[in-house]
C-alpha cells in the first residue's frame, strides 16, 4: 500500500479503492455492457426457422451451426469470417455462425446488439440495448463502507482441477477451472475456499440475499503461496442486475459463516 493509500481510521477508504469503484461504474455504464441486457432467446435446434418478438431475421440450425436469414438492412453484421460466414441473393442475406464460442454477431434498430451465447449445450440470443432504463438511470452501485479489517491475507495451495457449479438459471450447470484452494482466517475461524478462473473467489456469506446479492465475487492477489483477498472489492455478478444473465454460482463449499459487510450491496434485479 502506497503512502497515498494509507487508511487513517476505520471506514476511511484508500484512494486505490475509490479508483477501483470509479472503474467499476464506468464499466457498468458501457452502452452494451451488463446493464444493457434486455432479453435472452434460446434457439431450439429441433425446430424449424423461427422469429423472435422484436428481433429481425429468421433463426435456425443448419446441422450444428446457427444461421440467420434477413432482408435488406434489417440486420447489420458485427462479426466476420472466420466467426461468421455471409452469403447474399439479391436483398436476401444469410449468415452462419461458424465459431463454437460466444460472439457479438449483429445489431439492429437504435444500436441494439445481439450476442450469440453457448450455455449447457444450448445456444441463445442475448439482446443488449443502450436505451435500457436499467442503464440510462444508473449512477452507482451501493456499497458498504470500506473496512480495512476485511483485507484478509492467507495461503493457497495449487490443486488444478475443474469444479461443477450451478448458475442463475435453474437448469444450467457450468464447469469452471480451478487453480487451487485458499486458506483464510475470517471472523476468528479458518476457512477454505475454492478458487476459480485465475484467482477468483465466488462466495456467499451471512448477508447474501438480504443486504447483499445472492452471491458475489472478488479477485484475489496471489504471490507465491500467499493470497490476499480484499472483500471491499467484492462485486455483484450480472445476474444481480439482470434477469437475462447466466452467471455461475459459487462452489458449494464457498460459504462464509460470517457477515461480510464489504463490497457491493444488493441491487434491484430487472428485465430492462
Amino acid at each position: 500500500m502506497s503512502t497515498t493509500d494509507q487508511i487513517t481510521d476505520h471506514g476511511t477508504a484508500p484512494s486505490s479503492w475509490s479508483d477501483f469503484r470509479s472503474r467499476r461504474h464506468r464499466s457498468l455504464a458501457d452502452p452494451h455492457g451488463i446493464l444493457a441486457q434486455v432479453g435472452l432467446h434460446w434457439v431450439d435446434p429441433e425446430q424449424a426457422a423461427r422469429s423472435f418478438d422484436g428481433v429481425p431475421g429468421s433463426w435456425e440450425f443448419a446441422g450444428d451451426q446457427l444461421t440467420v436469414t434477413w432482408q435488406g438492412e434489417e440486420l447489420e453484421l458485427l462479426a466476420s469470417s472466420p466467426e461468421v460466414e455471409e452469403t447474399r441473393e439479391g436483398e436476401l442475406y444469410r449468415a452462419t455462425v461458424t465459431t463454437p464460442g460466444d460472439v457479438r454477431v449483429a445489431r439492429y434498430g437504435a444500436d441494439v446488439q445481439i450476442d450469440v451465447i453457448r450455455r449447457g449445450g444450448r445456444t441463445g440470443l442475448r439482446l443488449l440495448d443502450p436505451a435500457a432504463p436499467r442503464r440510462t438511470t444508473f449512477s452507482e452501485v451501493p456499497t458498504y463502507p470500506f473496512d480495512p479489517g476485511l483485507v484478509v491475507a492467507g495461503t493457497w495451495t495449487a490443486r488444478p482441477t475443474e469444479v461443477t457449479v450451478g448458475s442463475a438459471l435453474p437448469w444450467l450447470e457450468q464447469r469452471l477451472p480451478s487453480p487451487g484452494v485458499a486458506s483464510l482466517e475470517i471472523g476468528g475461524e479458518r476457512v477454505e475456499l475454492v478458487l476459480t478462473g485465475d484467482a477468483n473467489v465466488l462466495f456467499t456469506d451471512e448477508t447474501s440475499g438480504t443486504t447483499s446479492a445472492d452471491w458475489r465475487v472478488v479477485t484475489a492477489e496471489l504471490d507465491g503461496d500467499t493470497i490476499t483477498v480484499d472483500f471491499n472489492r467484492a462485486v455483484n455478478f450480472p445476474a444481480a442486475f439482470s434477469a437475462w444473465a447466466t452467471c455461475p454460482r459459487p462452489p458449494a463449499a464457498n460459504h462464509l459463516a460470517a457477515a461480510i459487510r464489504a463490497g457491493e450491496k444488493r441491487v434491484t434485479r430487472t428485465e430492462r
Side-chain angles (χ1 to χ4, degrees):
M1 183 179 293
S2 69
T3 55
T4 59
D5 282 346
Q6 289 180 351
I7 300 168
T8 56
D9 56 55
H10 185 87
T12 301
S15 60
S16 58
W17 184 75
S18 300
D19 291 343
F20 170 80
R21 293 306 315 162
S22 295
R23 292 194 302 273
R24 167 69 168 165
H25 289 143
R26 287 196 299 271
S27 174
L28 286 170
D30 184 271
H32 296 96
I34 293 168
L35 302 183
Q37 295 182 10
V38 294
L40 179 58
H41 303 290
W42 298 101
V43 185
D44 188 340
E46 302 300 323
Q47 286 188 345
R50 62 167 297 186
S51 298
F52 298 98
D53 187 28
V55 182
S58 179
W59 303 80
E60 65 180 326
F61 275 86
D64 60 354
Q65 292 181 324
L66 178 67
T67 68
V68 56
T69 304
W70 72 98
Q71 292 279 345
E73 298 180 356
E74 288 180 327
L75 282 179
E76 177 189 350
L77 284 183
L78 296 175
S80 57
S81 180
E83 294 178 315
V84 172
E85 294 180 355
E86 182 184 10
T87 59
R88 176 181 178 183
E89 295 181 10
E91 287 298 302
L92 185 66
Y93 293 80
R94 182 180 178 89
T96 300
V97 181
T98 52
T99 179
D102 293 0
V103 59
R104 184 151 298 174
V105 68
R107 67 178 160 209
Y108 65 93
D111 202 21
V112 180
Q113 299 190 1
I114 305 172
D115 282 348
V116 172
I117 66 171
R118 320 286 186 163
R119 300 289 186 274
R122 299 177 67 180
T123 298
L125 309 177
R126 176 179 284 143
L127 309 181
L128 304 163
D129 185 354
R134 184 194 307 110
R135 176 184 172 271
T136 58
T137 61
F138 172 74
S139 57
E140 62 180 17
V141 182
T143 63
Y144 296 95
F146 186 90
D147 185 350
L150 285 171
V151 182
V152 183
T155 60
W156 79 284
T157 304
R159 297 178 192 166
T161 187
E162 282 191 337
V163 292
T164 300
V165 299
S167 79
L169 300 178
W171 56 266
L172 177 61
E173 285 191 340
Q174 302 190 47
R175 292 190 61 79
L176 304 179
S178 171
V181 176
S183 178
L184 304 171
E185 186 173 309
I186 298 174
E189 294 189 6
R190 180 66 55 176
V191 296
E192 286 196 347
L193 300 172
V194 177
L195 302 176
T196 54
D198 293 327
N200 292 329
V201 179
L202 285 68
F203 71 96
T204 57
D205 67 276
E206 292 302 295
T207 70
S208 298
T210 56
T211 56
S212 67
D214 291 350
W215 69 95
R216 293 179 286 168
V217 62
V218 59
T219 299
E221 293 184 4
L222 306 181
D223 184 7
D225 62 356
T226 299
I227 185 170
T228 302
V229 182
D230 183 353
F231 285 100
N232 296 285
R233 297 193 178 209
V235 298
N236 297 335
F237 272 93
F241 302 91
S242 169
W244 310 113
T246 62
C247 309
R249 291 181 178 271
N254 282 18
H255 177 73
L256 301 173
I260 305 299
R261 295 186 177 93
E264 292 185 351
K265 290 185 176 181
R266 190 177 185 89
V267 294
T268 301
R269 187 170 183 255
T270 61
E271 292 192 353
R272 292 186 61 86

